[in-house]
Amino acid sequence: MRTDTICVQSGWKPKKGEPRVLPIYQSTTFKYDNTEEMGRLFDLEDSGYFYTRLQNPTNDCVAAKIAELEGGVAAILTSSGQAANFYAIANICQAGDHIVCSSTLYGGTFNLCAATIKKLGIACTFVDPDAAEEELEQAFLPNTKAVLGESVANPALVVLDIEKFARLAHKHGCPLIIDNTFPTPINCRPFAWGADIVTHSTTKYMDGHAMAVGGCVVDSGNFDWDAWKEKFPGLTTPDETYHGIVYTEKFGKLAYITKMTAQLMRDLGSIPSPMNAFLLNVGLETLALRVPRHCSNAQKAAEFLAAHEKVEFVNFAGLPGDKYYDLAKKYMPKGTCGVISFGLKGGREEAVRFMDSLKLAQIVTHVADARTCVLHPASHTHRQMNDEQLREAGVTPGMIRFSVGIEDPQDIIEDLEQALAQV
Ligand SMILES: *Cc1c(COP(=O)(O)O)cnc(C)c1O
């Protein structure tokens, strides 16, 4: 099936007499006929549902659809994008390990890597995503276990050179984890360029209607954990909490996601409710229709802003002359996403006056849904960063993050125009 068809048809495949629409299995638990049957599930000897914290049929159908969209072998839904990125790291890192991260990250992911995993004993080196390979090379240590970046960074809109990062990661025996939230698999397929794991905040375009917070981790099945056995003992040596099974031996290409289900979901439990998975699936059905509209509306808004005398800069890789125009043409030729960041002449004060004058675009802590919205990263999502950290994350104090919706583009432009007149 092609992408647009996968969005609509994949996941739930009803048998005779079953509901056409994905059912919401709003049940914590599942019934078995005898003690032995259920015991085998606990040993991972049989596969089957027994408790929704580990697996649920509604959640699994939606995860399968996202795996297919990304071209991966398996996926798992999480209760948020934050949980997805944490799990993607924690599944292969433990105290004493180290990761390499692009410095242009979503604010929450920056905190996760700079502060929270550090408390768990996992160190992180942030690198400039545009640096040359020789310079990036220096960030790697013998205990480096993963490399993390965003295909299109939120909110800096830096387009990552995925092949460059994949080459470096693989040279050092590390999987490349790509947060593909902004372009979605409609616009970018990181696995085709060498990424090994993809994460999503499904809260954004995938849901698309700002209804449910959620996340997803997808495995390409391509990383050869056994080739780097000593680096990844969690996958390649016996798990005593599951009667000594070795994930790579028993599950092959499904090892990484199976371990995540069996250990991280079991012990940390960041599952989405089946109801939220159902809502996400409704969003996914129209993803291939919505994303191109977000992109073409954003292109028009970016062109309008770039030509406006009060606008100092516009970051949008769809603009010829944008620093990331060429990388975007390579990795996401159909467009990047519907998010633009820009700054007004002046700075912070002008940004605030402009934002407070917008009528159609509303101030919300959110991006990437059907309704145009706006946010000021320096005083909202990146508020906890100092000026240097802001600069490294590609955020300036006056930067405005403008998330273009799927309304009539002329109404969006007229709103920008009247708010700019107030500055
Ligand atoms: C929003 C976002 C996250 C965090 O996702 P939540 O669903 O809000 O937890 C992670 N990465 C990117 C790129 C995001 O935009």
Side-chain angles (χ1 to χ4, degrees):
M1 289 193 290
R2 294 167 180 82
T3 304
D4 295 41
T5 313
I6 295 169
C7 284
V8 181
Q9 294 280 351
S10 175
W12 173 244
K13 305 253 164 58
K15 297 187 213 53
K16 185 179 163 191
E18 287 186 338
R20 180 64 194 94
V21 171
L22 171 65
I24 307 166
Y25 285 86
Q26 196 70 44
S27 178
T28 59
T29 192
F30 302 84
K31 176 246 170 192
Y32 287 88
D33 286 337
N34 59 54
T35 322
E36 173 59 20
E37 268 180 14
M38 183 164 309
R40 291 175 62 79
L41 300 178
F42 277 90
D43 285 352
L44 301 183
E45 284 299 325
D46 259 349
S47 66
Y49 295 101
F50 56 111
Y51 191 57
T52 284
R53 169 152 41 76
L54 286 134
Q55 282 188 299
N56 172 283
T58 307
N59 296 2
D60 282 1
C61 280
V62 183
K65 179 182 280 189
I66 297 174
E68 203 173 335
L69 283 171
E70 287 287 2
V73 294
I76 186 170
L77 295 189
T78 56
S79 54
S80 67
Q82 283 303 115
N85 281 318
F86 176 58
Y87 277 26
I89 297 165
N91 205 34
I92 45 175
C93 295
Q94 59 189 38
D97 289 345
H98 169 256
I99 62 170
V100 173
C101 287
S102 163
S103 62
T104 51
L105 287 177
Y106 171 69
T109 313
F110 176 83
N111 282 334
L112 170 68
C113 295
T116 299
I117 63 168
K118 193 171 162 191
K119 290 180 200 153
L120 303 176
I122 303 166
C124 175
T125 302
F126 290 97
V127 295
D128 173 358
D130 298 327
E133 259 175 89
E134 307 77 64
E135 191 187 327
L136 293 171
E137 192 88 49
Q138 291 163 18
F140 286 84
L141 303 169
N143 59 342
T144 306
K145 300 293 171 78
V147 179
L148 173 69
E150 293 175 4
S151 46
V152 176
N154 174 9
L157 303 178
V158 169
V159 176
L160 197 79
D161 190 343
I162 302 172
E163 278 190 317
K164 176 176 78 176
F165 273 82
R167 217 169 21 243
L168 278 162
H170 296 159
K171 187 173 168 191
H172 294 272
C174 298
L176 174 61
I177 304 168
I178 293 289
D179 182 332
N180 198 32
T181 297
F182 266 21
T184 81
I186 303 302
N187 281 348
C188 178
R189 302 276 299 272
F191 294 154
W193 303 102
D196 302 285
I197 310 290
V198 157
T199 60
H200 281 282
S201 166
T202 62
T203 316
K204 315 295 166 55
Y205 291 114
M206 283 191 168
D207 168 304
H209 302 78
M211 294 186 296
V213 172
C216 187
V217 182
V218 191
D219 183 12
S220 67
N222 292 337
F223 193 83
D224 188 356
W225 309 104
D226 281 323
W228 301 90
K229 250 188 166 68
E230 307 74 49
K231 264 188 187 268
F232 305 104
L235 284 157
T236 60
T237 60
D239 177 1
E240 295 313 331
T241 71
Y242 266 120
H243 314 295
I245 63 163
V246 176
Y247 289 97
T248 50
E249 262 173 28
K250 193 159 168 71
F251 299 103
K253 283 186 179 301
L254 303 179
Y256 178 86
I257 294 293
T258 305
K259 176 178 182 287
M260 194 173 284
T261 305
Q263 289 180 348
L264 298 185
M265 278 304 176
R266 180 194 62 187
D267 301 345
L268 302 174
S270 310
I271 52 133
S273 75
M275 182 69 206
N276 278 4
F278 171 84
L279 291 172
L280 168 57
N281 189 53
V282 175
L284 287 169
E285 288 181 359
T286 57
L287 186 68
L289 285 179
R290 289 183 288 105
V291 167
R293 173 67 176 231
H294 279 288
C295 291
S296 68
N297 278 4
Q299 183 73 34
K300 291 181 183 124
E303 285 167 9
F304 167 80
L305 288 166
H308 200 283
E309 59 185 17
K310 291 185 181 170
V311 175
E312 189 180 337
F313 69 89
V314 179
N315 296 328
F316 185 69
L319 291 177
D322 186 88
K323 192 174 174 193
Y324 299 101
Y325 183 80
D326 292 334
L327 280 176
K329 276 278 164 291
K330 172 176 172 178
Y331 291 112
M332 39 205 93
K334 290 187 284 185
T336 51
C337 60
V339 183
I340 300 169
S341 62
F342 65 97
L344 302 181
K345 288 177 184 154
R348 192 184 272 259
E349 219 170 279
E350 284 71 14
V352 170
R353 192 153 357 113
F354 165 81
M355 286 185 45
D356 290 347
S357 306
L358 287 164
K359 295 196 170 91
L360 181 139
Q362 309 220 327
I363 300 173
V364 293
T365 303
H366 193 58
V367 278
D369 79 79
R371 302 159 205 91
T372 295
C373 62
V374 66
L375 179 127
H376 184 225
S379 45
H380 302 146
T381 46
H382 291 60
R383 196 183 183 95
Q384 69 295 333
M385 288 188 177
N386 62 36
D387 282 0
E388 197 193 333
Q389 288 172 328
L390 279 177
R391 236 187 340 272
E392 281 172 6
V395 178
T396 54
M399 182 194 272
I400 295 159
R401 187 181 71 182
F402 195 72
S403 172
V404 182
I406 56 175
E407 303 93 343
D408 187 310
Q410 198 51 40
D411 286 325
I412 299 167
I413 288 171
E414 283 171 19
D415 193 32
L416 289 169
E417 201 162 25
Q418 66 79 22
L420 282 165
Q422 307 301 314
V423 177

